[in-house]
Amino acid sequence: MHRGEDSLSGLYKCTLAFVACGCGWSCGVVLLASLLLLVASYLSATAMAGGKKLQERVALGRSAWMLADFVILFLVLALVARRAASLGERGGTWLAALVCEAWFAFVWILNMNGKWSPVRFDTYPENLSHRMEELPAVDMFVTTADPALEPPLITVNTVLSLLALDYPHVGKLACYVSDDGCSPLTCYSLREAAKFASLWVPFCKRHDVGVRAPFMYFSSAPEVDTGTVDHEFLESWALMKSEYEKLASRIENADEVSILRDGGDEFAEFIDAERGNHPTIVKVLWDNSKNKTGEGFPHLVYLSREKSPRHRHNFKAGAMNVLTRVSAVMTNAPIMLNVDCDMFANNPQVALHAMCLLLGFDDEIHSGFVQAPQKFYGGLKDDPFGNQMQVITKKIGGGLAGIQGTFYGGTGCFHRRKVIYGMPPPDTVKHETRGSPSYKELQAKFGSSKELIESSRNIISGDLLARPTVDISSRVEMAKQVGDCNYEAGTCWGQEIGWVYGSMTEDILTGQRIQAAGWESALLDTDPPAFLGCAPTGGPASLTQFKRWATGLLEILISRNSPILGTIFRRLQLRQCLAYLIVNAWPMRAPFEMCYALLGPFCLLTNQSFLPTTSNEGFRIPAALFLSYHVYHLMEYKECGLSVRAWWNNHRMQRITSASAWLLAFLTVILKTLGLSETVFEVTRKESSTSSDGGTGTDEADTGLFTFDSAPVFIPVTALSMLNIVALAVAAWRAVVGTAAGVHGGPGVGEFVCCGWMVLCFWPFMRGLVSSGKYGIPWSVRVKAGLIVAAFVHLCTRN
């Protein structure tokens, strides 16, 4: 049912109840007046959509899954209760197990909450046909940071897919590319892309091309109707493919030296620029307002914000805030879309689908931002590195949509500019009826730029249909001013306004601030997917990404931006707070899971036990829990259309990630809190090819085999792998020679199963111990891990 229909029926029943129970006609009159206002609002929203709904919120049933949730919760609570009851008879191993299992119960409750009430949003862009001219303008942001790790051709394909989106008037779209690497190669590539776009965009519109990233479109033969051959289309297709291959060749063969030497005045600003020390560079690569026909393609602007060694740059959040200010003084669209450089628009109608959610509710509070789930192209079969996140996206993402909305994922998200500016939802604005904020108030929040202050006043006033600035080329100097390093000094940028500083996961933090203000978000899950990106391949890239996420999430949890404080002092719903804790607690899981993983080897080495023996009735509880837990997750993967192998790969990678990336993230944040270290933003290498042959472009690492380097992230798992082998060998030797015979309380089947299961989970590292080259664990890591294992074994056997 529509949210407006829910409100109407509820208020109507409440009105009747007040009158019937004799609580006074005054209360009834007030509620009746509110009912009439809601009716008017609902009818107005329906009329604006031409009498047809733009979106529908559909609740998804999961009764069988709820029952399974409770079965597993009962089993883990039974295990905790039984262990607590017999704690006095056991030693320290049982106490450690009790603490860990209590934590596991808490984590399971968090996940139950996140999955409990899933919904989906169906959108109907065809119902926008009567109001196409009323659709608001959209500023599209693309961020890139390093031309070596994020090749310019990847960025170019993303930009071309955005320039070719279906929208009523291309003048309402503008694309801004933020280059934190200050690379003339990136700027050159975008300039060449603008030339190619004059051919590519009309071709896509004329032939209704489905996928508008050229590398993906040309990766397969052209689709033609059976029985008919459109020779004109085939000729156009071949010509366009040839032009794209020329573009790709120019970009891939370009080098910075020749660009600076032969580029003339257009690249003069890059000559003395250093990556971490340069003024703001803004270049209008295409100004649609100068196109006399009114067609063509959207504005395209290159931006590299000022950097100085004396100023903090706040990672991606800082880049996003500069993009927000620069776009505000140039086009000032009320809606903003941000995507990563590798996340191309896979659905050409994605902006129209988003408008259905942004405009389709009777109250805009339900769509403070619209987030598309992250999905990937060209992923390795069965997800060997566990980073495609298909199940968590469907299960947790859909469940969050039924609470206060899905998290902001940092890419593929449509924002209301006024929400980014810190405006509260309409129903919270009670004391602000005195009019627009004063010039001084806006200056204190937004900074000294008169143009930015005026543009922010227009946004705050709620003019969704405000037209973008006609001549953006005349605003370059204004854009440079708001891109300066010191512009934010003394303002609210990064705190109350814009993307929030203080975490490496600025996306989660910013979305949390928005929802804590009372806004909700809407999930945009279209078919075909709205956006597609490339998942990192290989061990180092995957674990680097997980470590960066976990570090930022823990920074949020222990800061003043904690979701717990957002629930206590602001408007973040309790269930939404618990949902945020699912991801915020990732690094907190590391010490508990590491402790539990060490109990098995410890007991085998010391001839103790932390699990009941098979002859004990209590053995049935952990055995049933072990089986039901893994069957539960296996069935989740099967329901999502994935294989048993994909389930195993993801389960294995979760164990590896917890003992490596999450553990190091936990230690990093602890050291930062103590003032002993600083967090460093690590860019993930984008390894997918964007050549027209459609190949993945990666080397033999894409076979799914783990690759290793000497990074510290590999040391803990290597040590655990060695330790489990040593523990199994020692226990087996004891069993063979009979030294363990007749010893009460010695290890049983459970401890052997635990160690054996860990060996299977860490099998890539077992293979790395006996391999060489990049598939082998470096000797520096082996030596450090070996010393840790030797110290652990010594501590276990010294008595």
Side-chain angles (χ1 to χ4, degrees), residues 139 141 176 323-332 336 417:
D139 286 339
F141 302 155
Y176 296 81
L323 277 170
T324 302
R325 294 195 296 270
V326 167
S327 64
V329 301
M330 299 187 84
T331 49
N332 200 35
M336 302 182 295
R417 190 182 286 268

Side-chain angles (χ1 to χ4, degrees), residues 227-248:
T228 61
V229 178
D230 188 342
H231 293 288
E232 180 183 355
F233 167 70
L234 292 177
E235 291 176 1
S236 298
W237 186 92
L239 174 62
M240 198 57 55
K241 181 177 182 180
S242 174
E243 290 297 324
Y244 174 69
E245 289 175 341
K246 293 177 183 177
L247 170 69

